[in-house]
Amino acid sequence: MARNVKKQWFDSAEFAGQFHTELPLGAFCAKEETLFRLWAPTASQVILRLYPAGNDCEALQQLPMTRGEKGTWEMRMPEDLHGYYYDYAVTVDQTTYETGDPYAKSCGVNGRRSMVLDLPRTDPAGWEQDKAPAAAAEQVIYELHIKDFSWDQAGGFAADDRGRFSALTRHGTTLGGDGVHATGLDYIKSLGVTHIQLMPIYDYGSVDERTPESGYNWGYDPVNYNIPEGSYSSDPYHGEVRVKELKEMIAALHANGFRVIMDVVYNHTYDLNVPLFKSAPWYYYRRKEDGTPANGSGCGNDVATERSMVSRYILESVLYWVSEYHIDGFRFDLMGLMDVPLMNRIQEELDKRYGVGEKLIYGEPWRADNTAACPGTVLADKGNLKRLNINLGAFNDDVRDAVKGKIMDIEAVGFVNGGAISAQELRNCVIGWAGEGFANQAPSQNITYLSCHDDWTLWDKLVYTMDPGKNFTGSAEEILRANRMGAAINFFCQGRPFFLAGEEFGRTKGGIKNSYCSAADINQLDWTRAWENRELVDYYRGLIALRKQLPGLQDKSVEASSRILETMQVSSKCAWVTLENGGEVWDRLLLITSAEREAVTVQLPAGTWQVLVDDRSSFRWQEETLVQERCAIAPVSTLILGKLR
Ligand code: CA
């Protein structure tokens, strides 16, 4: 069949009518029977192959499957095959593809073979009682990579925990094992963040699970969407182990007061040598007129989320991670490549099951011009935030770029590293470009941040723009000042504050912009640096603790922007904004930010103001420093005041 003919066929209502099915797909075992059901609508033959182990051993049996309804293929075996491994030989247009099951719940080493798994047998003790902590008044999100967390030898982790899920279950780790300076989970607990966003934990392809110690990757290269990554487990060969160990980790995070957000990458796969492609060639992918895969993702292919069996797949996968692993939210990689109806459906289904807004959903709204979606598809990019559910959020690059400068240009500067500060732009940061006349409907749609895993760390960007000597591993006071000034602005935005793990201690990757496959020692959290820059860490702690007391910033409603009362341009590098807080202690808040080289005296609005945050400390709110009429703001700093009732 000609390529473009097949593309149109896959996009057509006729195809969906003929082949869309809601039948359960995957492998299901019970005492008396195991059922295998694969959706392979274009196949002329499918053979099920059973294996005793998850490595490259010979098949025990090869069994031709029976064609079922709506493009499905079935095999029923009169026994409980829990623990067996399997794959399929799928013949389409005279080509036979050896493939795992896209609906598999676990797999052998490197995800090549699927595993029949009776899921309750993977539950750790007490799993039925596992519950996320109660919803917080504010959500503060911390982005963390499993291997980064525990790879540094100085972190004091046991050798068996380094780089693995299990490291996130341990208490009592200390710097170099000194018994004094907390690292690991205890350290993160001390920050006050409410959500940990885990970089990819599903099975990805770029690290060889047989030798995980020598590989490193962020993991934005999915192979099996519904299976945990094997290199983070203690035994990647036995599929039940990775499942159980991930559940143990999530239970530990919940028990320690964190909700868990999973980074999901449904917009593309590692390559086309994955079950999603091989079980139904091209159906799950967008294809250009010349027959090559669309590449809006920049990763070699784009998943066709607008097709009905693709959206079923993604929705079911999300719901599965919640029901089976108790995940509390999702960060959608390149959400701008996914379609609006699917994203809204995901939010609605989660709201229906768990309560409105209980599961936090947000994504990258970056626009991709060169994908090849079915004509008429509305993509969930920045221009379409108004079409998304009001609780469906997106990363806000406007705040990020205003504060530290654009990410594409290393020379570009923002408020804190030499740029001008306009009162209007400062106001827009606070409200997150949300409300009337803006792309965002409300702060509920905003994730506000200064750094994430992509691009230079905040520290490295500041060093590049401020330090001619490019001393990334230093801790120059000038850079620390700019960092504190920026952090205070970010924690004064009404969206949900987010930061990359280690931003709070001046995390550096030695100036490397895209460290997705750099060595682990470039990416790892440097626990020595966390201690050395403990004053900066404290500054973040204070901002987080204060934030939890400020209802005016917690307001995520469409009316939030009307809380802004006044803005003032003091000089080209100094401006302030006042905001209705409505709190019990402080009825108004004043954010003054100045990049001037000298201290500036600022005229204050009427009233008695308490200093909450200044250039040195974000715990001033614990003291009783009061100012009236005018006050001085230190060079390159942010000052936050609260008006006493
Ligand atoms: Ca893997």
Side-chain angles (χ1 to χ4, degrees):
M1 192 180 301
R3 288 162 179 159
N4 53 353
V5 173
K6 203 162 195 170
K7 171 177 159 54
Q8 286 163 15
W9 185 47
F10 286 153
D11 281 337
S12 70
E14 290 71 30
F15 184 89
Q18 199 177 342
F19 294 113
H20 184 89
T21 177
E22 292 294 329
L23 281 173
L25 296 168
F28 308 91
C29 57
K31 250 197 175 95
E32 315 76 32
E33 183 184 81
T34 300
L35 164 67
F36 296 87
R37 187 183 287 125
L38 178 73
W39 188 73
T42 51
S44 55
Q45 177 184 262
V46 179
I47 292 171
L48 166 69
R49 308 185 302 184
L50 285 173
Y51 306 91
N55 53 18
D56 52 5
C57 61
E58 295 290 309
L60 295 169
Q61 293 185 71
Q62 305 206 27
L63 305 156
M65 296 179 78
T66 309
R67 199 189 286 268
E69 60 175 89
K70 301 278 186 184
T72 59
W73 297 77
E74 290 182 11
M75 170 62 64
R76 287 174 193 274
M77 306 282 285
E79 58 196 304
D80 179 358
L81 293 178
H82 168 76
Y84 281 81
Y85 293 78
Y86 67 103
D87 66 7
Y88 296 113
V90 177
T91 303
V92 178
D93 296 342
Q94 283 84 52
T95 302
T96 297
Y97 301 85
E98 300 188 340
T99 179
D101 179 356
Y103 279 82
K105 301 298 191 275
S106 199
C107 59
V109 69
N110 284 328
R112 308 315 293 177
R113 286 175 183 169
S114 306
M115 184 193 193
V116 182
L117 197 57
D118 180 27
L119 284 160
R121 293 190 226 182
T122 64
D123 291 350
W127 183 242
E128 311 76 53
Q129 281 80 50
D130 171 67
K131 246 178 80 180
E138 184 62 285
Q139 299 81 37
V140 181
I141 305 163
Y142 192 68
E143 184 187 33
L144 188 65
H145 182 277
I146 298 292
K147 192 165 189 173
D148 292 358
F149 174 74
S150 58
W151 194 247
D152 180 10
Q153 295 271 15
F157 298 94
D160 282 352
D161 289 332
R162 286 181 64 223
R164 293 181 180 164
F165 292 133
S166 59
L168 278 143
T169 67
R170 306 290 185 224
H171 284 288
T173 57
T174 51
L175 188 62
D178 68 3
V180 179
H181 307 105
T183 63
L185 195 54
D186 295 341
Y187 166 89
I188 298 178
K189 269 185 92 165
S190 78
L191 297 176
V193 300
T194 60
H195 287 63
I196 292 181
Q197 177 194 302
L198 296 166
M199 284 167 70
I201 52 170
Y202 56 72
D203 176 41
Y204 60 81
S206 52
V207 168
D208 188 338
E209 296 179 0
R210 295 169 301 182
T211 52
E213 60 288 346
S214 57
Y216 179 89
N217 207 283
W218 285 346
Y220 293 90
D221 45 79
V223 174
N224 287 291
Y225 281 108
N226 299 323
I227 301 177
E229 164 59 16
S231 68
Y232 298 147
S233 78
S234 63
D235 179 357
Y237 294 88
H238 295 89
E240 70 280 14
V241 178
R242 58 178 78 194
V243 174
K244 184 173 187 211
E245 290 179 351
L246 178 56
K247 287 177 175 176
E248 285 170 342
M249 185 192 81
I250 291 165
L253 291 175
H254 283 161
N256 282 284
F258 303 108
R259 290 194 172 200
V260 180
I261 293 173
M262 180 178 176
D263 194 336
V264 285
V265 186
Y266 295 110
N267 68 86
H268 70 271
T269 55
Y270 184 39
D271 54 18
L272 299 183
N273 186 27
V274 296
L276 218 51
F277 184 87
K278 293 189 289 186
S279 57
W282 293 108
Y283 174 78
Y284 292 91
Y285 295 84
R286 294 182 185 143
R287 202 175 188 189
K288 292 190 284 195
E289 286 302 319
D290 66 4
T292 59
N295 189 21
S297 66
C299 298
N301 60 77
D302 297 345
V303 168
T305 64
E306 66 277 18
R307 291 183 183 149
S308 77
M309 284 299 284
V310 186
S311 59
R312 170 192 161 171
Y313 182 81
I314 295 171
L315 174 64
E316 218 170 292
S317 176
V318 166
L319 295 174
Y320 172 72
W321 282 105
V322 176
S323 63
E324 189 62 31
Y325 288 90
H326 306 175
I327 291 289
D328 306 302
F330 296 88
R331 175 260 186 205
F332 286 84
D333 187 70
L334 293 181
M335 183 173 74
L337 275 173
M338 303 176 67
D339 64 285
V340 165
L342 172 60
M343 291 309 303
N344 282 337
R345 176 92 194 278
I346 289 170
Q347 180 82 58
E348 284 156 20
E349 294 290 337
L350 289 170
D351 284 353
K352 204 158 72 188
R353 286 169 171 77
Y354 303 99
V356 174
E358 182 65 12
K359 302 294 176 186
L360 204 52
I361 308 289
Y362 54 90
E364 291 183 304
W366 320 138
R367 216 179 130 84
D369 290 325
N370 51 347
T371 192
C374 176
T377 302
V378 180
L379 297 174
D381 59 28
K382 202 173 166 182
N384 285 324
L385 294 177
K386 283 201 161 64
R387 300 179 190 231
L388 289 172
N389 184 299
I390 197 155
N391 290 323
L392 223 160
F395 286 89
N396 190 310
D397 53 344
D398 295 311
V399 174
R400 179 195 72 191
D401 292 354
V403 172
K404 68 170 188 178
K406 291 193 182 299
I407 50 142
M408 295 302 176
D409 175 9
I410 189 58
E411 309 284 339
V413 293
F415 294 166
V416 304
N417 46 354
I421 300 175
S422 94
Q424 183 62 31
E425 207 178 353
L426 184 62
R427 170 190 180 272
N428 289 347
C429 281
V430 173
I431 63 171
W433 278 261
E436 197 61 35
F438 292 112
N440 294 292
Q441 300 175 74
S444 56
Q445 289 199 307
N446 263 328
I447 301 295
T448 50
Y449 71 114
L450 302 182
S451 75
C452 66
H453 65 272
D454 276 321
D455 307 306
W456 297 286
T457 65
L458 175 60
W459 185 266
D460 286 350
K461 171 81 178 178
L462 296 177
V463 169
Y464 265 123
T465 49
M466 297 173 69
D467 175 10
K470 310 284 183 271
N471 179 7
F472 295 108
T473 53
S475 295
E477 176 56 21
E478 198 192 18
I479 313 285
L480 288 166
R481 289 194 78 85
N483 193 325
R484 293 195 295 267
M485 174 182 170
I489 298 169
N490 193 47
F491 278 93
F492 202 88
C493 298
Q494 289 170 321
R496 297 192 164 92
F498 168 105
F499 59 109
L500 173 67
E503 184 190 297
E504 77 281 8
F505 61 71
R507 181 174 180 181
T508 176
K509 295 177 186 170
I512 294 173
K513 184 179 186 186
N514 186 355
S515 65
Y516 78 101
C517 67
S518 299
D521 60 3
I522 297 287
N523 283 285
Q524 71 189 9
L525 296 190
D526 176 345
W527 292 105
T528 307
R529 190 166 173 82
W531 173 243
E532 288 168 353
N533 282 338
R534 58 192 173 278
E535 288 177 5
L536 184 59
V537 177
D538 263 337
Y539 199 80
Y540 276 76
R541 285 193 186 105
L543 291 172
I544 294 167
L546 174 64
R547 175 64 180 242
K548 291 177 178 173
Q549 307 169 56
L550 302 178
L553 299 177
Q554 292 161 8
D555 185 356
K556 302 285 180 276
S557 73
V558 285
E559 291 84 29
S561 62
S562 65
R563 287 175 177 269
I564 295 282
L565 301 168
E566 289 174 275
T567 61
M568 182 65 70
Q569 191 76 47
V570 178
S571 73
S572 66
K573 291 193 173 189
C574 180
W576 59 253
V577 172
T578 54
L579 178 132
E580 185 67 47
N581 183 45
E584 284 173 20
V585 185
W586 309 295
D587 66 348
R588 289 181 180 188
L589 299 171
L590 177 63
L591 173 79
I592 315 176
T593 193
S594 171
E596 297 286 359
R597 311 294 299 178
E598 308 290 333
V600 176
T601 299
V602 179
Q603 200 73 32
L604 298 177
T608 301
W609 298 84
Q610 183 182 356
V611 177
L612 307 182
V613 172
D614 68 11
D615 65 318
R616 294 260 151 218
S617 171
S618 56
F619 282 105
R620 290 279 182 242
W621 49 274
Q622 291 181 335
E623 306 162 14
E624 288 276 316
T625 311
L626 304 178
V627 290
Q628 279 183 318
E629 290 178 34
R630 62 184 66 83
C631 76
I633 174 165
V636 189
S637 72
T638 293
L639 183 65
I640 301 174
L641 307 178
K643 185 167 159 284
L644 293 175
R645 280 194 176 277

mmCIF file of all heavy atoms in Angstrom, residues 456-482:
data_model
loop_
_atom_site.group_PDB
_atom_site.id
_atom_site.type_symbol
_atom_site.label_atom_id
_atom_site.label_comp_id
_atom_site.label_asym_id
_atom_site.label_seq_id
_atom_site.Cartn_x
_atom_site.Cartn_y
_atom_site.Cartn_z
ATOM 1 N N TRP A 456 21.183 25.457 30.587
ATOM 2 C CA TRP A 456 22.144 25.692 31.655
ATOM 3 C C TRP A 456 21.433 25.718 32.998
ATOM 4 O O TRP A 456 20.307 26.206 33.105
ATOM 5 C CB TRP A 456 22.843 27.037 31.436
ATOM 6 C CG TRP A 456 23.643 27.068 30.176
ATOM 7 C CD1 TRP A 456 24.834 26.448 29.941
ATOM 8 C CD2 TRP A 456 23.305 27.753 28.962
ATOM 9 N NE1 TRP A 456 25.264 26.706 28.651
ATOM 10 C CE2 TRP A 456 24.348 27.498 28.034
ATOM 11 C CE3 TRP A 456 22.229 28.557 28.562
ATOM 12 C CZ2 TRP A 456 24.341 28.018 26.731
ATOM 13 C CZ3 TRP A 456 22.217 29.072 27.275
ATOM 14 C CH2 TRP A 456 23.264 28.801 26.370
ATOM 15 N N THR A 457 22.094 25.222 34.018
ATOM 16 C CA THR A 457 21.536 25.401 35.363
ATOM 17 C C THR A 457 21.487 26.905 35.620
ATOM 18 O O THR A 457 22.181 27.689 34.949
ATOM 19 C CB THR A 457 22.420 24.748 36.445
ATOM 20 O OG1 THR A 457 23.686 25.427 36.479
ATOM 21 C CG2 THR A 457 22.647 23.255 36.173
ATOM 22 N N LEU A 458 20.692 27.315 36.584
ATOM 23 C CA LEU A 458 20.625 28.742 36.907
ATOM 24 C C LEU A 458 22.030 29.260 37.218
ATOM 25 O O LEU A 458 22.456 30.315 36.744
ATOM 26 C CB LEU A 458 19.689 28.973 38.100
ATOM 27 C CG LEU A 458 19.629 30.414 38.621
ATOM 28 C CD1 LEU A 458 19.148 31.376 37.537
ATOM 29 C CD2 LEU A 458 18.740 30.504 39.861
ATOM 30 N N TRP A 459 22.753 28.495 38.026
ATOM 31 C CA TRP A 459 24.102 28.910 38.419
ATOM 32 C C TRP A 459 24.998 29.105 37.203
ATOM 33 O O TRP A 459 25.688 30.129 37.064
ATOM 34 C CB TRP A 459 24.702 27.864 39.371
ATOM 35 C CG TRP A 459 26.032 28.291 39.904
ATOM 36 C CD1 TRP A 459 27.263 27.982 39.417
ATOM 37 C CD2 TRP A 459 26.246 29.164 41.021
ATOM 38 N NE1 TRP A 459 28.245 28.589 40.153
ATOM 39 C CE2 TRP A 459 27.650 29.325 41.147
ATOM 40 C CE3 TRP A 459 25.402 29.817 41.924
ATOM 41 C CZ2 TRP A 459 28.214 30.114 42.154
ATOM 42 C CZ3 TRP A 459 25.969 30.598 42.915
ATOM 43 C CH2 TRP A 459 27.359 30.743 43.025
ATOM 44 N N ASP A 460 24.989 28.121 36.293
ATOM 45 C CA ASP A 460 25.867 28.205 35.125
ATOM 46 C C ASP A 460 25.494 29.378 34.220
ATOM 47 O O ASP A 460 26.372 30.046 33.659
ATOM 48 C CB ASP A 460 25.854 26.884 34.347
ATOM 49 C CG ASP A 460 26.633 25.782 35.071
ATOM 50 O OD1 ASP A 460 27.321 26.097 36.067
ATOM 51 O OD2 ASP A 460 26.551 24.610 34.648
ATOM 52 N N LYS A 461 24.202 29.624 34.075
ATOM 53 C CA LYS A 461 23.774 30.775 33.269
ATOM 54 C C LYS A 461 24.269 32.079 33.910
ATOM 55 O O LYS A 461 24.745 32.990 33.219
ATOM 56 C CB LYS A 461 22.244 30.781 33.162
ATOM 57 C CG LYS A 461 21.629 32.024 32.534
ATOM 58 C CD LYS A 461 21.675 32.026 31.022
ATOM 59 C CE LYS A 461 20.988 33.287 30.455
ATOM 60 N NZ LYS A 461 21.032 33.361 29.007
ATOM 61 N N LEU A 462 24.194 32.159 35.222
ATOM 62 C CA LEU A 462 24.654 33.369 35.908
ATOM 63 C C LEU A 462 26.162 33.535 35.764
ATOM 64 O O LEU A 462 26.662 34.635 35.517
ATOM 65 C CB LEU A 462 24.236 33.343 37.382
ATOM 66 C CG LEU A 462 22.719 33.376 37.642
ATOM 67 C CD1 LEU A 462 22.427 33.279 39.141
ATOM 68 C CD2 LEU A 462 22.075 34.618 37.052
ATOM 69 N N VAL A 463 26.890 32.427 35.897
ATOM 70 C CA VAL A 463 28.350 32.509 35.748
ATOM 71 C C VAL A 463 28.705 32.955 34.332
ATOM 72 O O VAL A 463 29.541 33.840 34.132
ATOM 73 C CB VAL A 463 29.014 31.155 36.089
ATOM 74 C CG1 VAL A 463 30.486 31.151 35.680
ATOM 75 C CG2 VAL A 463 28.872 30.861 37.580
ATOM 76 N N TYR A 464 28.049 32.359 33.333
ATOM 77 C CA TYR A 464 28.326 32.729 31.945
ATOM 78 C C TYR A 464 28.112 34.222 31.703
ATOM 79 O O TYR A 464 28.860 34.860 30.972
ATOM 80 C CB TYR A 464 27.404 31.956 30.991
ATOM 81 C CG TYR A 464 28.010 30.698 30.427
ATOM 82 C CD1 TYR A 464 27.388 29.465 30.599
ATOM 83 C CD2 TYR A 464 29.190 30.743 29.675
ATOM 84 C CE1 TYR A 464 27.924 28.309 30.066
ATOM 85 C CE2 TYR A 464 29.737 29.581 29.137
ATOM 86 C CZ TYR A 464 29.100 28.361 29.338
ATOM 87 O OH TYR A 464 29.640 27.230 28.807
ATOM 88 N N THR A 465 27.052 34.774 32.302
ATOM 89 C CA THR A 465 26.707 36.165 32.016
ATOM 90 C C THR A 465 27.362 37.163 32.962
ATOM 91 O O THR A 465 27.347 38.361 32.708
ATOM 92 C CB THR A 465 25.174 36.373 32.066
ATOM 93 O OG1 THR A 465 24.673 35.799 33.277
ATOM 94 C CG2 THR A 465 24.492 35.714 30.879
ATOM 95 N N MET A 466 27.932 36.678 34.078
ATOM 96 C CA MET A 466 28.440 37.628 35.076
ATOM 97 C C MET A 466 29.920 37.487 35.395
ATOM 98 O O MET A 466 30.518 38.416 35.923
ATOM 99 C CB MET A 466 27.647 37.462 36.390
ATOM 100 C CG MET A 466 26.171 37.779 36.252
ATOM 101 S SD MET A 466 25.255 37.380 37.753
ATOM 102 C CE MET A 466 25.889 38.633 38.869
ATOM 103 N N ASP A 467 30.489 36.323 35.114
ATOM 104 C CA ASP A 467 31.872 36.085 35.534
ATOM 105 C C ASP A 467 32.773 35.889 34.320
ATOM 106 O O ASP A 467 32.741 34.832 33.689
ATOM 107 C CB ASP A 467 31.914 34.835 36.432
ATOM 108 C CG ASP A 467 33.331 34.451 36.818
ATOM 109 O OD1 ASP A 467 34.274 35.247 36.566
ATOM 110 O OD2 ASP A 467 33.506 33.340 37.358
ATOM 111 N N PRO A 468 33.596 36.881 33.989
ATOM 112 C CA PRO A 468 34.480 36.747 32.821
ATOM 113 C C PRO A 468 35.422 35.547 32.958
ATOM 114 O O PRO A 468 35.827 34.959 31.956
ATOM 115 C CB PRO A 468 35.267 38.055 32.821
ATOM 116 C CG PRO A 468 34.529 38.990 33.718
ATOM 117 C CD PRO A 468 33.773 38.158 34.697
ATOM 118 N N GLY A 469 35.755 35.154 34.193
ATOM 119 C CA GLY A 469 36.660 34.025 34.405
ATOM 120 C C GLY A 469 35.966 32.679 34.302
ATOM 121 O O GLY A 469 36.615 31.634 34.323
ATOM 122 N N LYS A 470 34.636 32.677 34.203
ATOM 123 C CA LYS A 470 33.839 31.439 34.068
ATOM 124 C C LYS A 470 34.194 30.392 35.128
ATOM 125 O O LYS A 470 34.471 29.231 34.828
ATOM 126 C CB LYS A 470 34.016 30.817 32.672
ATOM 127 C CG LYS A 470 33.811 31.793 31.518
ATOM 128 C CD LYS A 470 32.335 32.091 31.272
ATOM 129 C CE LYS A 470 32.131 33.013 30.084
ATOM 130 N NZ LYS A 470 32.163 34.459 30.447
ATOM 131 N N ASN A 471 34.173 30.815 36.358
ATOM 132 C CA ASN A 471 34.475 29.894 37.452
ATOM 133 C C ASN A 471 33.181 29.232 37.925
ATOM 134 O O ASN A 471 32.527 29.693 38.852
ATOM 135 C CB ASN A 471 35.153 30.669 38.590
ATOM 136 C CG ASN A 471 35.478 29.766 39.769
ATOM 137 O OD1 ASN A 471 35.326 28.545 39.695
ATOM 138 N ND2 ASN A 471 35.931 30.361 40.866
ATOM 139 N N PHE A 472 32.827 28.121 37.276
ATOM 140 C CA PHE A 472 31.551 27.467 37.578
ATOM 141 C C PHE A 472 31.520 26.850 38.966
ATOM 142 O O PHE A 472 30.499 26.830 39.631
ATOM 143 C CB PHE A 472 31.246 26.390 36.525
ATOM 144 C CG PHE A 472 31.029 26.957 35.165
ATOM 145 C CD1 PHE A 472 31.981 26.793 34.163
ATOM 146 C CD2 PHE A 472 29.891 27.691 34.874
ATOM 147 C CE1 PHE A 472 31.796 27.336 32.900
ATOM 148 C CE2 PHE A 472 29.689 28.242 33.613
ATOM 149 C CZ PHE A 472 30.652 28.060 32.624
ATOM 150 N N THR A 473 32.663 26.311 39.402
ATOM 151 C CA THR A 473 32.662 25.590 40.674
ATOM 152 C C THR A 473 32.899 26.491 41.880
ATOM 153 O O THR A 473 32.875 26.029 43.010
ATOM 154 C CB THR A 473 33.734 24.474 40.663
ATOM 155 O OG1 THR A 473 34.981 25.075 40.295
ATOM 156 C CG2 THR A 473 33.377 23.386 39.673
ATOM 157 N N GLY A 474 33.108 27.778 41.614
ATOM 158 C CA GLY A 474 33.277 28.708 42.732
ATOM 159 C C GLY A 474 31.940 29.068 43.353
ATOM 160 O O GLY A 474 30.887 28.515 42.989
ATOM 161 N N SER A 475 31.978 29.975 44.326
ATOM 162 C CA SER A 475 30.742 30.443 44.955
ATOM 163 C C SER A 475 30.871 31.938 45.196
ATOM 164 O O SER A 475 30.781 32.420 46.327
ATOM 165 C CB SER A 475 30.503 29.710 46.276
ATOM 166 O OG SER A 475 30.273 28.341 46.041
ATOM 167 N N ALA A 476 31.094 32.673 44.114
ATOM 168 C CA ALA A 476 31.318 34.117 44.237
ATOM 169 C C ALA A 476 30.085 34.801 44.800
ATOM 170 O O ALA A 476 28.955 34.500 44.415
ATOM 171 C CB ALA A 476 31.668 34.697 42.869
ATOM 172 N N GLU A 477 30.309 35.758 45.694
ATOM 173 C CA GLU A 477 29.211 36.478 46.344
ATOM 174 C C GLU A 477 28.307 37.172 45.322
ATOM 175 O O GLU A 477 27.091 37.209 45.471
ATOM 176 C CB GLU A 477 29.780 37.482 47.358
ATOM 177 C CG GLU A 477 28.747 38.360 48.042
ATOM 178 C CD GLU A 477 27.634 37.598 48.771
ATOM 179 O OE1 GLU A 477 27.830 36.407 49.100
ATOM 180 O OE2 GLU A 477 26.551 38.190 48.990
ATOM 181 N N GLU A 478 28.915 37.680 44.258
ATOM 182 C CA GLU A 478 28.151 38.391 43.235
ATOM 183 C C GLU A 478 27.112 37.461 42.582
ATOM 184 O O GLU A 478 25.971 37.851 42.334
ATOM 185 C CB GLU A 478 29.146 38.895 42.181
ATOM 186 C CG GLU A 478 28.605 39.974 41.309
ATOM 187 C CD GLU A 478 29.520 40.240 40.105
ATOM 188 O OE1 GLU A 478 30.369 39.392 39.772
ATOM 189 O OE2 GLU A 478 29.347 41.309 39.509
ATOM 190 N N ILE A 479 27.535 36.219 42.334
ATOM 191 C CA ILE A 479 26.625 35.247 41.708
ATOM 192 C C ILE A 479 25.561 34.816 42.719
ATOM 193 O O ILE A 479 24.380 34.683 42.380
ATOM 194 C CB ILE A 479 27.400 34.000 41.211
ATOM 195 C CG1 ILE A 479 28.653 34.372 40.425
ATOM 196 C CG2 ILE A 479 26.475 33.097 40.399
ATOM 197 C CD1 ILE A 479 28.452 34.865 39.053
ATOM 198 N N LEU A 480 25.980 34.609 43.948
ATOM 199 C CA LEU A 480 25.030 34.221 44.993
ATOM 200 C C LEU A 480 23.940 35.282 45.154
ATOM 201 O O LEU A 480 22.764 34.966 45.318
ATOM 202 C CB LEU A 480 25.755 33.997 46.324
ATOM 203 C CG LEU A 480 26.604 32.728 46.405
ATOM 204 C CD1 LEU A 480 27.542 32.784 47.612
ATOM 205 C CD2 LEU A 480 25.728 31.474 46.488
ATOM 206 N N ARG A 481 24.350 36.559 45.088
ATOM 207 C CA ARG A 481 23.369 37.653 45.216
ATOM 208 C C ARG A 481 22.322 37.579 44.115
ATOM 209 O O ARG A 481 21.118 37.685 44.365
ATOM 210 C CB ARG A 481 24.060 39.030 45.116
ATOM 211 C CG ARG A 481 24.908 39.435 46.274
ATOM 212 C CD ARG A 481 25.241 40.945 46.182
ATOM 213 N NE ARG A 481 24.107 41.729 46.625
ATOM 214 C CZ ARG A 481 23.865 42.019 47.894
ATOM 215 N NH1 ARG A 481 24.689 41.606 48.837
ATOM 216 N NH2 ARG A 481 22.797 42.713 48.225
ATOM 217 N N ALA A 482 22.812 37.404 42.879
ATOM 218 C CA ALA A 482 21.894 37.341 41.737
ATOM 219 C C ALA A 482 20.969 36.131 41.870
ATOM 220 O O ALA A 482 19.777 36.200 41.556
ATOM 221 C CB ALA A 482 22.689 37.277 40.442
#
